[in-house]
Amino acid sequence: AQNTFSEMMECVFDAQNLISISLRKIQSSRTQRGGIKLHKNLLVTYVLRNARQFYMSKNLSQTQRTHHYEDVSAVRERQDYFELTGSLTELGDDFYCNFTGVESDTWHCGAHQPNGQPAEVPHQDASACAMLSPSDSDLMVSEACWSCADKSSWELPILNAQANQKTVLDLDTHVVTTVTNGYFHSDCCAQSKQPQGAQCYTKKRKMDTSYHIVDPEFYLPDFGPVPFKRMRTDEDLHSDSDQLDSTNISNLISVLGSGGLSEFVSWQQTDLEQIFAAQTICLKHTLLTGSGWTRAIEAF
Amino acid sequence: INPGLVGITEWFLIVLRIADIISTVEFNHTGELLATGDKGGRVVIFQQEIENKNLPQFRSEYNVYSTFQSHEPEFDYLKSLEIEEKINKIRWLPQKNAAQFLLSTNDKTIKLWKISERDKRPEGYNLKEEDGRYKDPNTITSLRVPVLIPMDLMVEASPRRVFANAHTYHINSISVNSDDETYLSADDLRINLWHLEITDRSFNIVDIKPANMEELTEVITAAEFHPHQCNTFVYSSSKGTLRLCDMRASALCDKHSKLFEEPEDPSNRSFFSEIISSISDVKFSHNGRYMMTRDYLSVKIWDLNMENRPVETYQVHEYLRSKLCSLYENDCIFDKFECCWNGNDSVVMTGSYNNFFRMFDRGQRRDVTLEASRENSKPMQVLKPRKVCAGGKRKKDEISVDSLDFNKKILHTAWHPQDNIIAVATTNNLYIFQDKVN
């Protein structure tokens, strides 16, 4: 059972790594000569979405196990099928890479072994991976680990990640945290710091930190609202709406599009207050000790 | 068509030229001229030595015919955006008179260039002094008509038209219509139709830009006119679809006449499925009955009469499927490989990594991997087929996947329209190979 858990964890790490790499690509594309390549950035968002979909499904299975958070049941409401051809607006959940610093040296899910053959792991169904109750098994029809033969895992819905979950990549500490409805909770990766989990990651890969210089104003405007420059308190929530100056926002980076094209930044059409309200996060102060939010990438 | 044009044959090097990073390669309609465009905005044209063409043991030569700066870097101040001078595509016009014409394009501007020869010059004016100053007209007492005298051949390139300001996004394709009057240009979201004589306006014939850019799901990746039907063109998308459009149907060809799409194989699903299904090139066959598409791992041949799947699929480098994550990280997965047909549509060719390029013989169901490298391309030495070892025990002379050099990529190849002569561009070199005539 531990092997399957570690294989699954590896898959999740692959997804996380892909997410951080993808964000890095989008960021660096802004400074490329010739302007932002629309095609390439669009493809990168597909990888982001695929990885995030996978990651969220795995992450959710972990949160169900912990039973620490009141919002879990709300999060498990069935969502509409998140089609891969969905709009970028649907990606508008704030999404943060989860990167605890425990690296995996393999990019591939456990299924992709160096010799090209799928890993021989016991078939994992949803109940084995996620310890779901049978009534929930229809939500995770087949677990999303690549080793499963049933690749219809791609049909997995995003389980109400939209309104409730945010993930933040802190560029200083490279800590990624997931926030759900204001509750900061460490995700499955942090749990793996337990001895039994750490055994899986004996090989470390040198982490590339060269890309983590980001203007605090940085964000991906098409995918999410204004980033949090600092830890938010309740008082801040109410004053933030004033900060959403559309002029400032339109001056901020337009990630996709032929470089600097205002037509691609559709903020003018967006109800800023509506977005802001949907993305309200109230972070528990105690859970954020030592973590600076000054430089954070908020994706989507 | 050369009757010797069967199968894949054996190849040897005839020209090797160091160049700036080559970004496009194109033979003209007779194959006599080969144009290359590079990252620095320059066009270099080679001309085939055709004196001894009909002799046995014929060995072509391609010599530099003309070199000119087509595009310069520009800066769009309004958008605070630099426009690269890199030549994305060159397309030749069919020859109508003594001069040659080609279209070259960078990301934003298309130019029509006239390449003409001058081998005579006028002499005998009596209007100027020796030092070039004009004489006082009162001192000229006789009328002298200058005569044309031979001179060393000079090839001049002059820009005849500049087609600008019609594309918001990056131009990826141009294609000359068989009517010899119009051409299309395609960027990520739109396709415009131009008349070769008119530069101040173009017709928009395809527009896939959504009303809300946040709903963008695909872009146009390539477009081409049908070789014979002047009303028909095709464009490919980042989602792996082909759309055949008929300009007679409506002014705006947003509705396709035919949609060519192969259902995805669910067992191959990965994080990168969308990327590797994106079509990087589309080419009609010379006979107009087929289309060929190139995506990251394969080449597909489509019959214009069958929309639901390709009639042939060739794996270019399937061994890369398990490496997609690394290839994503180093950006190689975004490489846009081109593909081309030989003169009688029996063989198709495309590039790969490690300076490999691949040929697929459709009739004989054979394929070969060749390498364009200095070490392996001695003059008059036939290229040796290469083999990549995807797994298991590596045989002698095989190359393992892990030792492939992904910096050495062949994105651009071209096949002479009539002869077995191919042009292959590595990063910094242009290779021209000819088949071995027995």
Side-chain angles (χ1 to χ4, degrees), chain B residues 363-385:
Chain B
Q364 300 188 17
R365 296 271 160 205
R366 288 192 299 140
D367 64 83
V368 69
T369 303
L370 300 172
E371 183 178 354
S373 71
R374 291 174 181 244
E375 304 79 43
N376 298 299
S377 304
K378 306 289 186 302
M380 303 311 294
Q381 177 193 17
V382 170
L383 290 183
K384 202 170 101 169

Short mmCIF file of all heavy atoms in Angstrom, two decimals, chain B residues 363-385:
data_model
loop_
_atom_site.label_atom_id
_atom_site.label_comp_id
_atom_site.label_asym_id
_atom_site.label_seq_id
_atom_site.Cartn_x
_atom_site.Cartn_y
_atom_site.Cartn_z
N GLY B 363 4.58 4.46 -51.25
CA GLY B 363 4.22 3.30 -52.06
C GLY B 363 4.90 2.04 -51.56
O GLY B 363 4.28 1.00 -51.42
N GLN B 364 6.17 2.15 -51.29
CA GLN B 364 6.92 0.95 -50.91
C GLN B 364 6.90 0.70 -49.41
O GLN B 364 7.51 -0.26 -48.95
CB GLN B 364 8.37 1.09 -51.39
CG GLN B 364 8.47 1.25 -52.89
CD GLN B 364 9.91 1.19 -53.36
OE1 GLN B 364 10.79 0.72 -52.65
NE2 GLN B 364 10.15 1.70 -54.55
N ARG B 365 6.24 1.57 -48.68
CA ARG B 365 6.17 1.36 -47.23
C ARG B 365 7.55 1.22 -46.61
O ARG B 365 7.77 0.41 -45.73
CB ARG B 365 5.32 0.11 -46.91
CG ARG B 365 3.88 0.23 -47.33
CD ARG B 365 3.08 0.81 -46.22
NE ARG B 365 1.82 1.37 -46.68
CZ ARG B 365 1.18 2.34 -46.04
NH1 ARG B 365 1.70 2.85 -44.96
NH2 ARG B 365 0.03 2.78 -46.49
N ARG B 366 8.47 2.03 -47.08
CA ARG B 366 9.80 2.03 -46.48
C ARG B 366 10.03 3.40 -45.88
O ARG B 366 9.46 4.40 -46.32
CB ARG B 366 10.87 1.77 -47.54
CG ARG B 366 10.92 0.35 -48.05
CD ARG B 366 12.20 0.14 -48.85
NE ARG B 366 12.28 1.01 -50.00
CZ ARG B 366 13.40 1.61 -50.42
NH1 ARG B 366 14.50 1.45 -49.75
NH2 ARG B 366 13.39 2.37 -51.49
N ASP B 367 10.90 3.43 -44.89
CA ASP B 367 11.30 4.73 -44.38
C ASP B 367 12.78 4.68 -44.05
O ASP B 367 13.36 3.60 -43.89
CB ASP B 367 10.48 5.12 -43.15
CG ASP B 367 10.70 4.19 -41.97
OD1 ASP B 367 11.69 4.40 -41.24
OD2 ASP B 367 9.91 3.26 -41.80
N VAL B 368 13.37 5.83 -43.98
CA VAL B 368 14.81 5.88 -43.71
C VAL B 368 15.08 7.11 -42.85
O VAL B 368 14.38 8.12 -42.94
CB VAL B 368 15.62 5.94 -45.03
CG1 VAL B 368 15.41 7.26 -45.75
CG2 VAL B 368 17.09 5.72 -44.77
N THR B 369 16.08 6.97 -42.01
CA THR B 369 16.55 8.09 -41.20
C THR B 369 17.95 8.45 -41.67
O THR B 369 18.83 7.59 -41.72
CB THR B 369 16.60 7.71 -39.71
OG1 THR B 369 15.29 7.28 -39.30
CG2 THR B 369 17.02 8.89 -38.86
N LEU B 370 18.16 9.69 -42.01
CA LEU B 370 19.47 10.15 -42.47
C LEU B 370 19.94 11.28 -41.58
O LEU B 370 19.16 11.89 -40.86
CB LEU B 370 19.38 10.62 -43.93
CG LEU B 370 18.91 9.56 -44.93
CD1 LEU B 370 18.66 10.19 -46.29
CD2 LEU B 370 19.94 8.44 -45.05
N GLU B 371 21.21 11.55 -41.66
CA GLU B 371 21.77 12.58 -40.80
C GLU B 371 22.47 13.64 -41.64
O GLU B 371 23.21 13.32 -42.59
CB GLU B 371 22.78 11.96 -39.84
CG GLU B 371 23.39 12.96 -38.86
CD GLU B 371 24.35 12.31 -37.88
OE1 GLU B 371 24.47 11.07 -37.89
OE2 GLU B 371 24.99 13.04 -37.10
N ALA B 372 22.23 14.88 -41.30
CA ALA B 372 22.91 15.99 -41.97
C ALA B 372 23.96 16.52 -41.01
O ALA B 372 23.68 17.32 -40.13
CB ALA B 372 21.92 17.08 -42.34
N SER B 373 25.16 16.05 -41.17
CA SER B 373 26.24 16.55 -40.33
C SER B 373 27.52 16.54 -41.12
O SER B 373 27.68 15.78 -42.07
CB SER B 373 26.40 15.69 -39.08
OG SER B 373 26.94 14.43 -39.42
N ARG B 374 28.44 17.39 -40.71
CA ARG B 374 29.68 17.49 -41.47
C ARG B 374 30.47 16.20 -41.43
O ARG B 374 31.04 15.78 -42.44
CB ARG B 374 30.53 18.60 -40.88
CG ARG B 374 29.96 19.96 -41.10
CD ARG B 374 30.81 20.92 -40.34
NE ARG B 374 30.33 22.26 -40.46
CZ ARG B 374 31.03 23.23 -41.04
NH1 ARG B 374 32.20 22.97 -41.56
NH2 ARG B 374 30.56 24.45 -41.10
N GLU B 375 30.45 15.57 -40.27
CA GLU B 375 31.29 14.37 -40.14
C GLU B 375 30.80 13.27 -41.06
O GLU B 375 31.57 12.45 -41.54
CB GLU B 375 31.29 13.86 -38.70
CG GLU B 375 31.73 14.87 -37.64
CD GLU B 375 30.63 15.85 -37.29
OE1 GLU B 375 29.46 15.43 -37.15
OE2 GLU B 375 30.94 17.05 -37.21
N ASN B 376 29.49 13.24 -41.26
CA ASN B 376 28.93 12.13 -42.03
C ASN B 376 28.64 12.50 -43.46
O ASN B 376 27.99 11.75 -44.18
CB ASN B 376 27.65 11.64 -41.35
CG ASN B 376 27.93 11.12 -39.96
OD1 ASN B 376 28.67 10.17 -39.78
ND2 ASN B 376 27.36 11.77 -38.96
N SER B 377 29.05 13.66 -43.88
CA SER B 377 28.71 14.11 -45.22
C SER B 377 29.96 14.45 -46.00
O SER B 377 30.21 15.62 -46.30
CB SER B 377 27.79 15.34 -45.15
OG SER B 377 26.67 15.06 -44.38
N LYS B 378 30.73 13.46 -46.29
CA LYS B 378 31.87 13.72 -47.15
C LYS B 378 31.38 13.79 -48.59
O LYS B 378 30.44 13.10 -48.98
CB LYS B 378 32.89 12.58 -47.02
CG LYS B 378 33.34 12.28 -45.61
CD LYS B 378 34.23 13.37 -45.07
CE LYS B 378 34.81 13.02 -43.72
NZ LYS B 378 33.80 12.73 -42.71
N PRO B 379 32.02 14.61 -49.40
CA PRO B 379 31.56 14.71 -50.79
C PRO B 379 31.59 13.35 -51.47
O PRO B 379 32.52 12.57 -51.28
CB PRO B 379 32.59 15.66 -51.43
CG PRO B 379 33.17 16.41 -50.30
CD PRO B 379 33.13 15.51 -49.11
N MET B 380 30.59 13.09 -52.22
CA MET B 380 30.47 11.85 -53.00
C MET B 380 30.33 10.62 -52.13
O MET B 380 30.41 9.51 -52.60
CB MET B 380 31.68 11.67 -53.94
CG MET B 380 31.90 12.81 -54.91
SD MET B 380 30.38 13.27 -55.77
CE MET B 380 30.06 11.83 -56.75
N GLN B 381 30.14 10.83 -50.85
CA GLN B 381 29.93 9.68 -49.97
C GLN B 381 28.44 9.54 -49.70
O GLN B 381 27.81 10.49 -49.26
CB GLN B 381 30.70 9.89 -48.67
CG GLN B 381 30.50 8.79 -47.67
CD GLN B 381 31.02 9.20 -46.30
OE1 GLN B 381 31.23 10.37 -46.04
NE2 GLN B 381 31.19 8.24 -45.42
N VAL B 382 27.92 8.37 -49.95
CA VAL B 382 26.49 8.17 -49.79
C VAL B 382 26.14 8.20 -48.30
O VAL B 382 26.86 7.64 -47.47
CB VAL B 382 26.08 6.82 -50.42
CG1 VAL B 382 24.65 6.47 -50.06
CG2 VAL B 382 26.24 6.90 -51.92
N LEU B 383 25.05 8.85 -47.99
CA LEU B 383 24.61 8.92 -46.60
C LEU B 383 24.22 7.55 -46.10
O LEU B 383 23.54 6.79 -46.78
CB LEU B 383 23.40 9.86 -46.47
CG LEU B 383 23.64 11.35 -46.67
CD1 LEU B 383 22.34 12.10 -46.43
CD2 LEU B 383 24.72 11.86 -45.76
N LYS B 384 24.63 7.30 -44.88
CA LYS B 384 24.31 6.00 -44.29
C LYS B 384 23.04 6.13 -43.47
O LYS B 384 22.90 7.07 -42.68
CB LYS B 384 25.48 5.60 -43.40
CG LYS B 384 25.57 4.13 -43.13
CD LYS B 384 26.89 3.81 -42.43
CE LYS B 384 26.62 3.64 -40.94
NZ LYS B 384 27.76 3.10 -40.22
N PRO B 385 22.13 5.23 -43.61
CA PRO B 385 20.92 5.29 -42.78
C PRO B 385 21.26 5.16 -41.30
O PRO B 385 22.19 4.45 -40.93
CB PRO B 385 20.10 4.08 -43.25
CG PRO B 385 20.61 3.77 -44.60
CD PRO B 385 22.06 4.16 -44.62
#
